[in-house]
């Protein structure tokens, strides 16, 4: 079975239209396509498609099925897995378990529902109407963060739990949950690994949507930096509402001037970006027209691999090792760096990631850092107390 091509469409109010047009184009290319509404609280996609999108896959066009994530069902499923395990403790406390009808999804459940849906998709092409960019970046970062919490809070080593279990059981008078706790940990770890594999797969990419009339360039820069921090790179930027070229020759001087300015801004964005810039007009009549305008007869933008982060050996020249982190769009004012043990904490505005240091850098001290043209260079000097002699 071939790997699924996953396109996460994220942006402003036009994102549902772009997501639907992208899915329709993939289906017209002969691919088994699934359109997933993962963030559509006002059911905008229903309006775009002219049908009600349900949690079960529904055929919408030849080769194209549509559905939405069900965060309520995902929340109940998660609690159902652990509810039976907690029953002895609840009985001990005299507490009554909650009925399924009483359960209401908590904030953040939508992220978990999306992460569960990604590896479960059975399609050649999965197009996701994803949350807005800031929320999407947080969702993409979640598996790595939760894996870290699991490793710290419920370590795989069970020797201590086994040794203490008889004593604790005697004190509490009920069997201690060591075994089922670690069983749940294993399940959670497997689920997180599957979600992370789907997120980091070579065929997974983000497609950003923004209005051409809203001067979105600064916002797009910050979004790209946040994605890059977590190892992601957009495969395209879609600008909607672009004025036609003929508007630049309009007899109306205001419209002609506006069209020329927008055309110059579009050319500037395309020249400054290393990702394709696609455009739609102010009002396309149908989804087919939007798809044709964006992708023509081709297959559409291909996923772009992130620029690798490498360690440069400059010991002979400067006595330093330099860790190069590609962060296109990052600016010095947004950057925050903290060395903590064998980790480097990197902050970019509202986004933050804890990076394990490569083995050679763990025996070094930070000697400085510099950010230039979206490339962060962190300099490390060998620690004489830890560096091998000779």
């Amino acid at each position: 079975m071939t790997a699924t091509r996953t396109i996460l469409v994220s942006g402003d109010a036009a994102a549902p239209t772009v997501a639907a047009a992208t899915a329709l184009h993939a289906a017209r290319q002969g691919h088994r396509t699934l359109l997933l509404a993962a963030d559509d609280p006002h059911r905008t996609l229903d309006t775009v498609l002219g049908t009600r999108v349900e949690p079960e896959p529904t055929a919408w066009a030849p080769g194209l099925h549509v559905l939405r994530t069900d965060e309520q069902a995902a929340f109940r499923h998660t609690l159902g897995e652990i509810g039976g395990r907690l029953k002895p403790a609840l009985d001990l406390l005299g507490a009554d378990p909650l009925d399924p009808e009483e359960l209401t999804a908590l904030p953040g459940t939508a992220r978990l529902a999306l992460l569960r849906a990604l590896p479960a998709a059975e399609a050649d092409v999965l197009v996701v109407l994803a949350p807005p960019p800031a929320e999407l970046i947080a969702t993409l970062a979640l598996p790595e963060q939760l894996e870290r919490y699991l490793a710290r809070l419920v370590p795989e080593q069970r020797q201590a739990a086994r040794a203490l279990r008889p004593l604790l059981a005697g004190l509490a008078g009920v069997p201690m949950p060591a075994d089922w706790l670690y069983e749940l940990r294993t399940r959670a770890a497997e689920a997180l690994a599957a979600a992370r594999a789907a997120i980091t797969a070579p065929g997974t990419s983000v497609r950003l949507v923004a209005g051409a009339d809203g001067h979105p360039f600064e916002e797009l820069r910050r979004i790209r930096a946040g994605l890059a921090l977590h190892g992601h790179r957009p495969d395209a930027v879609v600008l909607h509402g672009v004025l036609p070229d003929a508007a630049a020759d309009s007899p109306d001087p205001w419209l002609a001037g506006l069209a020329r300015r927008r055309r110059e801004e579009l050319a500037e964005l395309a020249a400054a970006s290393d990702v394709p810039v696609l455009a739609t007009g102010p009002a396309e009549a149908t989804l087919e027209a939007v798809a044709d305008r964006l992708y023509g007869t081709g297959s559409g933008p291909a996923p772009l691999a992130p620029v690798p982060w490498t360690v440069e050996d400059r010991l002979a020249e400067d006595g330093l090792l330099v860790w190069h982190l590609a962060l296109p769009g990052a600016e010095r004012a947004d950057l925050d760096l903290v060395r903590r043990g064998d980790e480097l904490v990197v902050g970019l505005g509202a986004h933050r990631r804890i990076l394990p240091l490569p083995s050679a850098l763990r025996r070094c001290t930070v000697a400085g850092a510099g950010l230039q043209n979206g490339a962060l260079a962190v300099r490390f000097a060998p620690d004489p107390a830890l560096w091998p002699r000779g």
Side-chain angles (χ1 to χ4, degrees), residues 86-95 172-174 176:
L86 292 176
K87 190 175 185 305
L90 293 175
D91 291 342
L92 179 67
L93 297 173
V174 296
M176 286 296 101

Side-chain angles (χ1 to χ4, degrees), residues 263-284:
R263 189 165 57 185
E264 291 170 359
E265 291 172 346
L266 183 61
E268 180 182 350
L269 177 62
S273 177
D274 57 350
V275 301
V277 178
L278 311 177
T280 66
E284 307 289 352

